Amino acid sequence: MFIIPTYIRFALIAAGVLGGIALWIAFGFWYGFPFLLAGLILFAGYVFLGTVGPAAKAVQVQDFDRGEKLLNLTLKPNWLYSANRAFYYMMRGTIALSRKDLNAAEGWLKQADAIDVPTANEKAMLKLQLAQIEANRKNFPAAKKYLKAAKETNVKLPQIVEQINMLDNALKQSGQVKAAQRMGKQGHQMMSRGGKRRRPKGK
């Protein structure tokens, strides 16, 4: 898919609108109309698609600072087409995760989760990221709930499937450790109670 770089889009919008108006004034409306129309179409694309495409390229190569700067150039996130709005929030969440800001990441990702994400890969990745946040907080029931939702997307992309399996194994191990710790604590309490028993007096 061809993506127009953000600053080139801005230059083309300015050239189309200003050039169209100049030609309209100098030679008449129909001379300037094609340029003006092209500029307006590019501007509409900017409003409803935002800078999600160029930002996604930066995030994919883990250039999170550039990705954030490009996302900041989006005019109004709420005006974006629903799929692009979901991707916008997901990338904001991914950037926050890269900076270990779990609260901000959760906020962005939950906004994306409230939108119908268009593909199984994105749905699974979104649920997986939310599961990882809850796992980092040691909120294992919530992490398992999100992980179950990720599995239910029936995602086929090997990289995502591998991450789901890794988190699944980690949560299972954490459950086993928690159960072992609970059993150990109970055993310790029983031993403590046993140790406090009075010895019978010798005759």
Side-chain angles (χ1 to χ4, degrees), residues 16-36:
V17 172
L18 297 177
I21 292 172
L23 288 170
W24 181 359
I25 293 170
F27 301 105
F29 173 76
W30 292 109
Y31 287 93
F33 176 72
F35 295 93
L36 187 59

Side-chain angles (χ1 to χ4, degrees), residues 4-16 43 46 51 73-74:
I4 301 174
T6 302
Y7 293 105
I8 292 178
R9 178 184 287 271
F10 289 161
L12 291 173
I13 290 171
F43 181 72
Y46 164 63
T51 56
L73 294 173
T74 292

Side-chain angles (χ1 to χ4, degrees), residues 1-201:
M1 180 179 177
F2 177 71
I3 297 173
I4 301 174
T6 302
Y7 293 105
I8 292 178
R9 178 184 287 271
F10 289 161
L12 291 173
I13 290 171
V17 172
L18 297 177
I21 292 172
L23 288 170
W24 181 359
I25 293 170
F27 301 105
F29 173 76
W30 292 109
Y31 287 93
F33 176 72
F35 295 93
L36 187 59
L37 179 62
L40 292 175
I41 289 172
L42 286 168
F43 181 72
Y46 164 63
V47 170
F48 297 113
L49 300 178
T51 56
V52 170
K57 285 188 171 183
V59 171
Q60 283 172 0
V61 297
Q62 298 188 348
D63 189 350
F64 297 117
D65 289 338
R66 176 170 171 75
E68 184 176 44
K69 286 177 182 177
L70 289 169
L71 289 175
N72 288 341
L73 294 173
T74 292
L75 185 62
K76 284 280 187 180
N78 290 338
W79 292 355
L80 296 177
Y81 173 66
S82 60
N84 279 44
R85 190 163 70 252
F87 293 145
Y88 174 92
Y89 293 138
M90 285 179 68
M91 283 190 286
R92 287 285 194 186
T94 299
I95 291 168
L97 274 177
S98 74
R99 294 168 180 168
K100 312 297 183 186
D101 189 346
L102 298 184
N103 291 333
E106 182 183 37
W108 289 117
L109 293 172
K110 283 190 172 180
Q111 288 187 76
D113 197 29
I115 303 168
D116 187 18
V117 181
T119 71
N121 289 340
E122 275 74 28
K123 285 180 183 178
M125 199 65 214
L126 175 58
K127 300 294 185 182
L128 180 61
Q129 287 178 314
L130 287 167
Q132 289 170 335
I133 289 172
E134 296 298 350
N136 286 334
R137 290 172 171 166
K138 300 190 184 303
N139 187 358
F140 299 123
K144 289 176 181 177
K145 180 182 175 182
Y146 282 123
L147 187 63
K148 183 175 180 289
K151 291 178 180 178
E152 289 173 351
T153 63
N154 295 318
V155 65
K156 303 299 182 184
L157 192 66
Q159 296 93 322
I160 299 178
V161 172
E162 182 182 2
Q163 290 183 54
I164 288 173
N165 291 335
M166 287 174 63
L167 183 57
D168 193 16
N169 291 332
L171 290 175
K172 286 176 181 176
Q173 289 174 6
S174 68
Q176 292 169 358
V177 169
K178 198 171 181 180
Q181 288 174 341
R182 186 164 55 248
M183 291 176 65
K185 186 177 181 180
Q186 290 171 351
H188 177 71
Q189 289 172 345
M190 291 175 65
M191 290 177 65
S192 296
R193 287 197 294 269
K196 290 178 181 177
R197 290 176 185 169
R198 293 182 179 179
R199 294 181 182 179
K201 295 181 180 180

